[in-house]
Amino acid sequence: MSLLESIKEGRGRRLAKELWPQTAFAAVAAIVRDYGLRSLAQLDNDTVPSSAPPARERLSLFPLLSAGQYHLAQEIIRQYNNPYLGYARTPADIILSQRLFLAHPDLDPGILATTPLAEIWRQNTACQPEP
Amino acid sequence: MWQLLSGQTEILVQDGFLYLPLLFDAEIAAELAARGGEGRAAGDGGACSLEAANRRPDAAALLLRQDGRYFVQSLSLAALAEHYQTVFPEEYEKLRLALLQEVLSRLRTCTPVLAPELETILFVVLPYFLRTRRGKHRAKTEAGAFLAYVAESHTIPDQAADLLAAFQEQAATLREVLQWLTARQAANPDVPAPAGNGPAVRRWLRTVLQARIIAQEMAQVQEELAARQALADLPKEQLAILLTIAARGALEVDDVGFCGDAKRPGVYWVYKKTGEYVLQDYYGRPYLFPDCRVAVCSAGPFQPVVLDTYKHPLLRRCAPRQPICLTDYQAPQEFSARAIIQALQEGLNALYYGYNSRKRNGYNSLDGFGRHHSEVDFEDWRLPEDDPRILAGELEVKNR
């Protein structure tokens, strides 16, 4: 690479827009609010209300929750803390994110951001060789 | 707003402010923890007037604590009532219509005799061109002088009696409406700021807004009655002429006048006629320009146009309502008598003196030089150089 190309590439990298990091709190807050979660047990028992809205494509940058919802969100983050939690979009994704991280801890963030966790889980499970 | 006050959202009211449940994120929770759960308990602080509460710069009063829950200060009730009309104009209008339902039909029949623009045109712009403050028409007021001037040249029309009767009837109706409003105001005493939750605030806000609407309407009706009284003090024939002008929406006196825009009600074209004048071309040959109306629209833009189908070197083609080509003229942005007068004078000066025969400026030249660029031909307006009207001085060559 010539010096000129190197300078251009460096500048391009520096000026490129960076996505706002998707925090685990923003993801969990959106789920708690959209699905009307009231307790941690709802996740464990899989008793999430069926009339839930479709998963959000974009999360709120600065989510705000009522006191009860905030405490529940913090409890979920403490219970299921893992680097993939920020990519969860449904209550099932919260549990799946932990399993996915334990099974495949080095997934590409680009794939995580663009593909549903369930789909990633299905693909990676299908690719595994039969024992 | 009414949704917020519907009772579904829990609201506390203290010291004239609405307190809404505090929402959390990690930063707010950390800040609250750092403050050690600081915040006044709900009910502390005692009674406080709305005005005093509005001025209070007390940051510590931002949080209220009740049963372990936190509420954060939001709107001031006084500000909510004061700015409600601006922030929620549709809801305010609905409330106004519902409140004034009983007198609305009567109020609608009593529109102001003169709209503010029409008043400016009649009593400032036209007198400026007619010079009514000079000579025998001098009067104490501009309106009186102008109407006396018009009364001299116009006969009182037949429908004047009907218009006068309608004028007096409307004044009586307005007085009735004022009585109704006064009674309604007396029935609504001042309501103190509510101490309760959502529905109580809603009731309070509705009452305060109703009181504001009544006060506003009373002020408007009183203003209209005062304006009508000032008109009623005019001599009868002047009042009849004024009412006729207002009903027709058009007037012309001594080559100055105004007329309504056919497509836009309430918009007027103020015009001044040029009269016949002569311009000469590069070779000194005279051209007779017929009379036309240079006009300015009261709704802007305040650029002079020629209302009639007309041709001139400073007009692009031969068509009605063409703007006059002006250099270095910054049109004012807002309606005022000065804007109209200035634009009319600029337009007239441009038609009379704007064309330079040597420079052949403008869109078209009189003598046909460079005709391939021009759609307009002035040959049909050319006069013989020894025309008796020019020799006698009846027609002035403006660009000599």
Side-chain angles (χ1 to χ4, degrees):
Chain A
M1 184 187 294
S2 69
L3 177 64
L4 187 64
E5 284 172 343
S6 147
I7 290 171
K8 279 184 178 173
E9 193 180 313
R11 278 182 187 160
R13 218 176 12 249
R14 209 167 51 243
L15 296 175
K17 284 184 182 175
E18 285 182 19
L19 286 179
W20 190 265
Q22 296 185 341
T23 60
F25 178 73
V28 174
I31 293 169
V32 167
R33 197 168 43 198
D34 291 351
Y35 289 81
L37 297 185
R38 294 186 180 281
S39 69
L40 198 59
Q42 277 181 297
L43 280 182
D44 298 334
N45 306 336
D46 199 14
T47 52
V48 175
S50 57
S51 60
R56 290 171 181 236
E57 285 186 10
R58 280 191 170 186
L59 297 178
S60 167
L61 291 180
F62 306 104
L64 287 172
L65 297 175
S66 67
Q69 288 175 329
Y70 174 75
H71 292 308
L72 174 59
Q74 290 295 355
E75 210 175 332
I76 291 172
I77 292 170
R78 271 196 300 277
Q79 176 93 14
Y80 296 97
N81 191 18
N82 71 78
Y84 296 169
L85 190 56
Y87 301 102
R89 295 291 177 270
T90 63
D93 281 356
I94 292 175
I95 300 167
L96 192 59
S97 67
Q98 199 176 34
R99 291 168 63 189
L100 191 62
F101 177 66
L102 291 174
H104 307 282
D106 50 357
L107 287 176
D108 180 32
I111 296 174
L112 285 164
T114 52
T115 318
L117 293 187
E119 178 64 19
I120 299 174
W121 175 258
R122 195 182 59 75
Q123 286 173 0
N124 283 284
T125 314
C127 292
Q128 279 179 355
E130 291 287 329
Chain B
M1 190 64 219
W2 296 108
Q3 207 176 353
L4 178 67
L5 301 176
S6 65
Q8 289 170 355
T9 310
E10 195 175 358
I11 297 173
L12 290 184
V13 178
Q14 185 143 345
D15 298 346
F17 279 88
L18 295 175
Y19 284 78
L20 297 174
L22 179 65
L23 295 178
F24 283 82
D25 67 2
E27 284 181 24
I28 293 173
E31 192 179 337
L32 204 60
R35 287 187 175 200
E38 155 190 338
R40 287 188 310 153
D44 284 359
C48 177
S49 73
L50 292 184
E51 289 75 18
N54 238 357
R55 290 194 301 270
R56 185 183 52 191
D58 187 2
L62 286 177
L63 276 183
L64 273 188
R65 202 176 61 244
Q66 189 185 46
D67 302 335
R69 298 176 60 208
Y70 289 93
F71 292 79
V72 68
Q73 192 184 79
S74 63
L75 297 168
S76 134
L77 285 172
L80 180 62
E82 190 178 338
H83 301 295
Y84 196 86
Q85 184 182 7
T86 315
V87 182
F88 304 105
E90 288 174 8
E91 287 185 26
Y92 190 84
E93 185 59 19
K94 263 189 224 168
L95 198 63
R96 194 184 83 89
L97 293 179
L99 182 64
L100 302 176
Q101 203 173 8
E102 210 173 304
V103 289
L104 209 57
S105 56
R106 279 184 280 172
L107 263 180
R108 279 183 181 151
T109 59
C110 302
T111 50
V113 177
L114 294 176
E117 282 95 0
L118 188 55
E119 198 173 337
T120 308
I121 292 168
L122 273 179
F123 299 140
V124 186
V125 178
L126 298 193
Y128 176 85
F129 289 105
L130 295 172
R131 312 276 182 200
T132 50
R133 292 303 300 274
R134 295 178 185 175
K136 63 175 180 174
H137 299 292
R138 279 182 65 183
K140 281 183 182 172
T141 62
E142 198 77 68
F146 173 72
L147 288 172
Y149 187 88
V150 177
E152 229 177 46
S153 57
H154 287 64
T155 52
I156 296 176
D158 297 338
Q159 80 256 31
D162 296 340
L163 289 170
L164 277 170
F167 176 76
Q168 280 157 2
E169 195 180 324
Q170 285 173 0
T173 309
L174 278 175
R175 276 191 285 274
E176 279 174 22
V177 171
L178 186 61
Q179 275 178 1
W180 184 88
L181 289 169
T182 313
R184 192 69 200 251
Q185 192 182 38
N188 277 350
D190 287 346
V191 186
N197 209 322
V201 179
R202 195 167 54 162
R203 277 195 298 276
W204 173 85
L205 181 61
R206 190 178 288 275
T207 315
V208 169
L209 288 178
Q210 284 176 344
R212 286 180 73 86
I213 290 169
I214 295 279
Q216 277 179 354
E217 291 297 326
M218 277 182 71
Q220 275 181 16
V221 171
Q222 279 167 346
E223 198 179 322
E224 178 60 21
L225 273 173
R228 283 171 180 265
Q229 186 56 47
L231 293 180
D233 291 343
L234 289 169
K236 207 170 179 182
E237 66 275 11
Q238 290 185 12
L239 178 58
I241 283 179
L242 181 65
L243 293 175
T244 314
I245 293 169
R248 281 187 191 158
L251 174 73
E252 185 177 314
V253 198
D254 293 356
D255 295 344
V256 189
F258 71 92
C259 57
D261 190 306
K263 291 180 182 169
R264 295 179 291 176
V267 174
Y268 299 96
W269 288 93
V270 187
Y271 62 81
K272 179 157 173 41
K273 289 186 170 175
T274 57
E276 291 186 331
Y277 59 99
V278 174
L279 296 180
Q280 65 181 13
D281 66 5
Y282 183 84
Y283 308 104
R285 297 175 300 188
Y287 294 78
L288 174 63
F289 281 79
D291 188 19
C292 72
R293 293 178 296 170
V294 175
V296 182
C297 182
S298 68
F302 300 100
Q303 288 275 1
V305 300
V306 177
L307 275 185
D308 316 287
T309 303
Y310 202 66
K311 57 186 179 182
H312 189 279
L314 301 186
L315 300 176
R316 190 175 282 280
R317 51 184 72 83
C318 186
R321 293 198 182 182
Q322 293 186 84
I324 299 169
C325 173
L326 297 174
T327 51
D328 303 330
Y329 175 64
Q330 298 289 329
Q333 297 296 314
E334 288 182 3
F335 174 83
S336 66
R338 186 184 174 83
I340 300 276
I341 290 169
Q342 205 176 343
L344 282 178
Q345 285 180 330
E346 287 285 339
L348 287 165
N349 283 337
L351 290 191
Y352 288 151
Y353 311 111
Y355 178 67
N356 186 325
S357 59
R358 295 192 64 76
K359 291 181 182 170
R360 295 186 178 100
N361 59 325
Y363 299 113
N364 314 294
S365 67
L366 290 181
D367 50 52
F369 180 82
R371 177 74 53 78
H372 56 283
H373 290 305
S374 169
E375 303 170 11
V376 182
D377 179 22
F378 295 95
E379 279 303 309
D380 51 336
W381 286 359
R382 210 166 92 189
L383 290 178
E385 287 180 33
D386 56 350
D387 188 277
R389 286 176 294 174
I390 297 175
L391 295 178
E394 285 175 30
L395 292 173
E396 188 187 353
V397 181
K398 299 281 188 183
N399 65 336
R400 179 168 284 165

